[in-house]
Amino acid sequence: MSGKLKSLGKTISALKVRQWLSGWDTVHFDSKELQSAPERYFYICSVRSADLKALTGVYRRSTKGGTARAKDPNVQRGHEEERSLMIREFVKHGFPWCEMSESRRRAEGAADLKKPGWLPTAILVNILQPNDKRNGV
């Protein structure tokens, strides 16, 4: 990742947050079930979306290879087209516009209900270490 950052001519400042409860030391992680202990910390930062896109490898998750979803660590959930459309409408026009029917959107005064659709949630990024592999690569 550092090479990509250098090519962008930028650095990203981040806070290292240590998060580990002592009770977690007793948790069993089974490598046969593709489980491994997480790092005891994470980073939090703010990154412009264009920079994030330039830094990351984004690919569509799929279970087409025949691996059961429960056994595939790369697939969180299946794509729900209707949910994606609702999120797109929310980002473009905010709430309640995103949930309004077309007839309600045409009603007098309805345009006043459009607002910016900020997503107040974080984007989680898995930063791979130099020797990490995903799907054999």
Side-chain angles (χ1 to χ4, degrees), residues 118-131:
W118 296 104
L119 293 174
T121 57
I123 295 174
L124 301 178
V125 178
N126 182 21
I127 300 173
L128 301 178
Q129 300 299 316
N131 294 323

Side-chain angles (χ1 to χ4, degrees), residues 14-19 39-45 124:
L15 296 174
K16 186 174 186 176
V17 180
R18 297 184 190 284
Q19 176 180 290
E39 296 290 343
R40 295 177 178 229
Y41 57 88
F42 63 90
Y43 294 97
I44 188 167
C45 63
L124 301 178

Side-chain angles (χ1 to χ4, degrees), residues 20-29:
W20 193 263
L21 300 177
S22 59
W24 295 347
D25 290 327
T26 62
V27 174
H28 172 71
F29 296 97

